[in-house]
Amino acid sequence: MVELIPSQDKVMQILQRTGAFREGHFVYPNGKHSPHYFQMPLAFRYYDTARVLAVALSRKFRLEKDISSQLPKVSVISPSSGGIPVAFGVRDALSAEQIYWAEQEHGERMFRQYVNQGEVNPCIIVDDIIRSGNAIEETVKLVKSLGARIIGCGAIVRFTSALTEIEGVPIKSLVDFDARMYDSGPECVDCKEGVNEEVVRF
Ligand SMILES: [Zn+2]
């Protein structure tokens, strides 16, 4: 059988090759330390790679009857700018009708587009990476406030510590990553060993 959805190892190889996954000693804006760093936009700078990843994720959605039966009257929604290339790629592969993306404005997640109640088709929420799931949860609230139903949710990478379902819909991912995080420097193995740290942004 043709390999329709690349294995987790294959996807990790792509992320490593493009620099989207790095190993080292990183300090995040929230003060946590970690030996891993995902900078997903680095994978999405190559059109071919972006396409492979988005098409693979779309195949997981197409397997869901609740999604395939409603196409093309489906919205693909990104919680933030990082998910926009994923949303366009998934939309393309599924031939879904609508794309929306949200932004944080004054600390609140809002759609970039002006949207009226009832205009949004049943939704698939996609992102490049789900770390905590906060962005997804905020987007779910936004979607529901517009009277739309959530029929799918997924990301290229999901941290295993993040949520596994939303509104009764299982979260799809190409990689489930068991991230190692230390709350502060004194707990961090690399700090203890004196490894140079790199301050990164999300
Ligand atoms: Zn450290």
PDB file of all heavy atoms in Angstrom, residues 104-119:
ATOM      1  N   GLN A 104      -4.129  37.858  18.036  1.00  0.00           N
ATOM      2  CA  GLN A 104      -4.319  38.378  19.391  1.00  0.00           C
ATOM      3  C   GLN A 104      -4.327  39.892  19.303  1.00  0.00           C
ATOM      4  O   GLN A 104      -3.377  40.499  18.821  1.00  0.00           O
ATOM      5  CB  GLN A 104      -3.173  37.916  20.275  1.00  0.00           C
ATOM      6  CG  GLN A 104      -3.334  36.476  20.681  1.00  0.00           C
ATOM      7  CD  GLN A 104      -3.326  36.327  22.173  1.00  0.00           C
ATOM      8  OE1 GLN A 104      -2.654  37.053  22.857  1.00  0.00           O
ATOM      9  NE2 GLN A 104      -4.074  35.378  22.687  1.00  0.00           N
ATOM     10  N   GLU A 105      -5.418  40.470  19.745  1.00  0.00           N
ATOM     11  CA  GLU A 105      -5.510  41.923  19.751  1.00  0.00           C
ATOM     12  C   GLU A 105      -5.910  42.356  21.146  1.00  0.00           C
ATOM     13  O   GLU A 105      -6.938  41.901  21.660  1.00  0.00           O
ATOM     14  CB  GLU A 105      -6.549  42.366  18.716  1.00  0.00           C
ATOM     15  CG  GLU A 105      -6.102  43.583  17.925  1.00  0.00           C
ATOM     16  CD  GLU A 105      -7.036  43.848  16.763  1.00  0.00           C
ATOM     17  OE1 GLU A 105      -7.015  43.046  15.797  1.00  0.00           O
ATOM     18  OE2 GLU A 105      -7.784  44.813  16.834  1.00  0.00           O
ATOM     19  N   HIS A 106      -5.097  43.222  21.762  1.00  0.00           N
ATOM     20  CA  HIS A 106      -5.326  43.651  23.147  1.00  0.00           C
ATOM     21  C   HIS A 106      -5.585  42.440  24.050  1.00  0.00           C
ATOM     22  O   HIS A 106      -6.520  42.438  24.855  1.00  0.00           O
ATOM     23  CB  HIS A 106      -6.510  44.639  23.226  1.00  0.00           C
ATOM     24  CG  HIS A 106      -6.428  45.735  22.212  1.00  0.00           C
ATOM     25  ND1 HIS A 106      -5.388  46.634  22.189  1.00  0.00           N
ATOM     26  CD2 HIS A 106      -7.219  46.053  21.160  1.00  0.00           C
ATOM     27  CE1 HIS A 106      -5.556  47.467  21.175  1.00  0.00           C
ATOM     28  NE2 HIS A 106      -6.644  47.141  20.529  1.00  0.00           N
ATOM     29  N   GLY A 107      -4.784  41.412  23.866  1.00  0.00           N
ATOM     30  CA  GLY A 107      -4.874  40.227  24.715  1.00  0.00           C
ATOM     31  C   GLY A 107      -6.068  39.330  24.442  1.00  0.00           C
ATOM     32  O   GLY A 107      -6.305  38.365  25.152  1.00  0.00           O
ATOM     33  N   GLU A 108      -6.812  39.664  23.392  1.00  0.00           N
ATOM     34  CA  GLU A 108      -7.992  38.851  23.088  1.00  0.00           C
ATOM     35  C   GLU A 108      -7.845  38.251  21.692  1.00  0.00           C
ATOM     36  O   GLU A 108      -7.367  38.916  20.780  1.00  0.00           O
ATOM     37  CB  GLU A 108      -9.231  39.749  23.119  1.00  0.00           C
ATOM     38  CG  GLU A 108     -10.494  38.989  23.437  1.00  0.00           C
ATOM     39  CD  GLU A 108     -11.721  39.887  23.323  1.00  0.00           C
ATOM     40  OE1 GLU A 108     -11.607  41.089  23.626  1.00  0.00           O
ATOM     41  OE2 GLU A 108     -12.758  39.384  22.879  1.00  0.00           O
ATOM     42  N   ARG A 109      -8.254  36.984  21.550  1.00  0.00           N
ATOM     43  CA  ARG A 109      -8.154  36.361  20.233  1.00  0.00           C
ATOM     44  C   ARG A 109      -9.368  36.728  19.394  1.00  0.00           C
ATOM     45  O   ARG A 109     -10.504  36.561  19.807  1.00  0.00           O
ATOM     46  CB  ARG A 109      -8.028  34.839  20.365  1.00  0.00           C
ATOM     47  CG  ARG A 109      -7.362  34.183  19.165  1.00  0.00           C
ATOM     48  CD  ARG A 109      -6.949  32.764  19.464  1.00  0.00           C
ATOM     49  NE  ARG A 109      -5.940  32.694  20.514  1.00  0.00           N
ATOM     50  CZ  ARG A 109      -4.625  32.786  20.312  1.00  0.00           C
ATOM     51  NH1 ARG A 109      -4.149  32.930  19.098  1.00  0.00           N
ATOM     52  NH2 ARG A 109      -3.791  32.727  21.324  1.00  0.00           N
ATOM     53  N   MET A 110      -9.086  37.296  18.220  1.00  0.00           N
ATOM     54  CA  MET A 110     -10.168  37.745  17.343  1.00  0.00           C
ATOM     55  C   MET A 110      -9.872  37.310  15.917  1.00  0.00           C
ATOM     56  O   MET A 110      -8.718  37.159  15.550  1.00  0.00           O
ATOM     57  CB  MET A 110     -10.248  39.283  17.356  1.00  0.00           C
ATOM     58  CG  MET A 110     -10.671  39.808  18.702  1.00  0.00           C
ATOM     59  SD  MET A 110     -10.277  41.546  18.940  1.00  0.00           S
ATOM     60  CE  MET A 110     -11.181  42.299  17.642  1.00  0.00           C
ATOM     61  N   PHE A 111     -10.930  37.124  15.130  1.00  0.00           N
ATOM     62  CA  PHE A 111     -10.695  36.812  13.727  1.00  0.00           C
ATOM     63  C   PHE A 111     -10.143  38.029  12.993  1.00  0.00           C
ATOM     64  O   PHE A 111     -10.552  39.162  13.272  1.00  0.00           O
ATOM     65  CB  PHE A 111     -11.989  36.367  13.042  1.00  0.00           C
ATOM     66  CG  PHE A 111     -12.273  34.909  13.264  1.00  0.00           C
ATOM     67  CD1 PHE A 111     -13.507  34.490  13.739  1.00  0.00           C
ATOM     68  CD2 PHE A 111     -11.307  33.955  12.991  1.00  0.00           C
ATOM     69  CE1 PHE A 111     -13.765  33.144  13.952  1.00  0.00           C
ATOM     70  CE2 PHE A 111     -11.563  32.619  13.194  1.00  0.00           C
ATOM     71  CZ  PHE A 111     -12.790  32.212  13.680  1.00  0.00           C
ATOM     72  N   ARG A 112      -9.226  37.801  12.084  1.00  0.00           N
ATOM     73  CA  ARG A 112      -8.673  38.863  11.262  1.00  0.00           C
ATOM     74  C   ARG A 112      -9.767  39.422  10.350  1.00  0.00           C
ATOM     75  O   ARG A 112      -9.815  40.603  10.073  1.00  0.00           O
ATOM     76  CB  ARG A 112      -7.510  38.303  10.408  1.00  0.00           C
ATOM     77  CG  ARG A 112      -6.778  39.333   9.605  1.00  0.00           C
ATOM     78  CD  ARG A 112      -5.988  40.234  10.551  1.00  0.00           C
ATOM     79  NE  ARG A 112      -5.337  41.324   9.853  1.00  0.00           N
ATOM     80  CZ  ARG A 112      -5.898  42.494   9.562  1.00  0.00           C
ATOM     81  NH1 ARG A 112      -7.169  42.701   9.893  1.00  0.00           N
ATOM     82  NH2 ARG A 112      -5.229  43.427   8.963  1.00  0.00           N
ATOM     83  N   GLN A 113     -10.630  38.527   9.891  1.00  0.00           N
ATOM     84  CA  GLN A 113     -11.715  38.943   9.010  1.00  0.00           C
ATOM     85  C   GLN A 113     -12.906  39.435   9.834  1.00  0.00           C
ATOM     86  O   GLN A 113     -13.090  39.008  10.970  1.00  0.00           O
ATOM     87  CB  GLN A 113     -12.185  37.757   8.142  1.00  0.00           C
ATOM     88  CG  GLN A 113     -11.132  37.194   7.210  1.00  0.00           C
ATOM     89  CD  GLN A 113     -10.358  36.028   7.821  1.00  0.00           C
ATOM     90  OE1 GLN A 113     -10.370  35.806   9.012  1.00  0.00           O
ATOM     91  NE2 GLN A 113      -9.670  35.287   6.973  1.00  0.00           N
ATOM     92  N   TYR A 114     -13.687  40.305   9.258  1.00  0.00           N
ATOM     93  CA  TYR A 114     -14.975  40.641   9.867  1.00  0.00           C
ATOM     94  C   TYR A 114     -15.918  39.483   9.577  1.00  0.00           C
ATOM     95  O   TYR A 114     -16.114  39.111   8.426  1.00  0.00           O
ATOM     96  CB  TYR A 114     -15.541  41.924   9.266  1.00  0.00           C
ATOM     97  CG  TYR A 114     -14.818  43.155   9.740  1.00  0.00           C
ATOM     98  CD1 TYR A 114     -13.829  43.743   8.970  1.00  0.00           C
ATOM     99  CD2 TYR A 114     -15.115  43.709  10.981  1.00  0.00           C
ATOM    100  CE1 TYR A 114     -13.146  44.870   9.415  1.00  0.00           C
ATOM    101  CE2 TYR A 114     -14.447  44.822  11.433  1.00  0.00           C
ATOM    102  CZ  TYR A 114     -13.458  45.402  10.650  1.00  0.00           C
ATOM    103  OH  TYR A 114     -12.795  46.496  11.106  1.00  0.00           O
ATOM    104  N   VAL A 115     -16.472  38.915  10.621  1.00  0.00           N
ATOM    105  CA  VAL A 115     -17.329  37.745  10.439  1.00  0.00           C
ATOM    106  C   VAL A 115     -18.648  37.966  11.162  1.00  0.00           C
ATOM    107  O   VAL A 115     -18.657  38.476  12.286  1.00  0.00           O
ATOM    108  CB  VAL A 115     -16.670  36.466  11.010  1.00  0.00           C
ATOM    109  CG1 VAL A 115     -17.429  35.239  10.559  1.00  0.00           C
ATOM    110  CG2 VAL A 115     -15.224  36.352  10.585  1.00  0.00           C
ATOM    111  N   ASN A 116     -19.720  37.610  10.517  1.00  0.00           N
ATOM    112  CA  ASN A 116     -21.026  37.725  11.154  1.00  0.00           C
ATOM    113  C   ASN A 116     -21.517  36.365  11.622  1.00  0.00           C
ATOM    114  O   ASN A 116     -21.137  35.327  11.082  1.00  0.00           O
ATOM    115  CB  ASN A 116     -22.050  38.316  10.175  1.00  0.00           C
ATOM    116  CG  ASN A 116     -21.705  39.749   9.819  1.00  0.00           C
ATOM    117  OD1 ASN A 116     -21.342  40.550  10.686  1.00  0.00           O
ATOM    118  ND2 ASN A 116     -21.780  40.073   8.533  1.00  0.00           N
ATOM    119  N   GLN A 117     -22.378  36.415  12.602  1.00  0.00           N
ATOM    120  CA  GLN A 117     -23.031  35.223  13.137  1.00  0.00           C
ATOM    121  C   GLN A 117     -23.632  34.418  11.982  1.00  0.00           C
ATOM    122  O   GLN A 117     -24.284  34.979  11.115  1.00  0.00           O
ATOM    123  CB  GLN A 117     -24.141  35.700  14.095  1.00  0.00           C
ATOM    124  CG  GLN A 117     -24.857  34.630  14.847  1.00  0.00           C
ATOM    125  CD  GLN A 117     -24.073  34.234  16.105  1.00  0.00           C
ATOM    126  OE1 GLN A 117     -23.161  34.924  16.523  1.00  0.00           O
ATOM    127  NE2 GLN A 117     -24.438  33.103  16.683  1.00  0.00           N
ATOM    128  N   GLY A 118     -23.352  33.106  11.968  1.00  0.00           N
ATOM    129  CA  GLY A 118     -23.975  32.248  10.972  1.00  0.00           C
ATOM    130  C   GLY A 118     -23.230  32.151   9.645  1.00  0.00           C
ATOM    131  O   GLY A 118     -23.610  31.374   8.777  1.00  0.00           O
ATOM    132  N   GLU A 119     -22.159  32.939   9.481  1.00  0.00           N
ATOM    133  CA  GLU A 119     -21.435  32.907   8.198  1.00  0.00           C
ATOM    134  C   GLU A 119     -20.402  31.789   8.116  1.00  0.00           C
ATOM    135  O   GLU A 119     -19.950  31.445   7.035  1.00  0.00           O
ATOM    136  CB  GLU A 119     -20.680  34.237   7.988  1.00  0.00           C
ATOM    137  CG  GLU A 119     -21.562  35.361   7.489  1.00  0.00           C
ATOM    138  CD  GLU A 119     -20.771  36.662   7.307  1.00  0.00           C
ATOM    139  OE1 GLU A 119     -19.554  36.717   7.577  1.00  0.00           O
ATOM    140  OE2 GLU A 119     -21.403  37.628   6.882  1.00  0.00           O
TER     141      GLU A 119
END
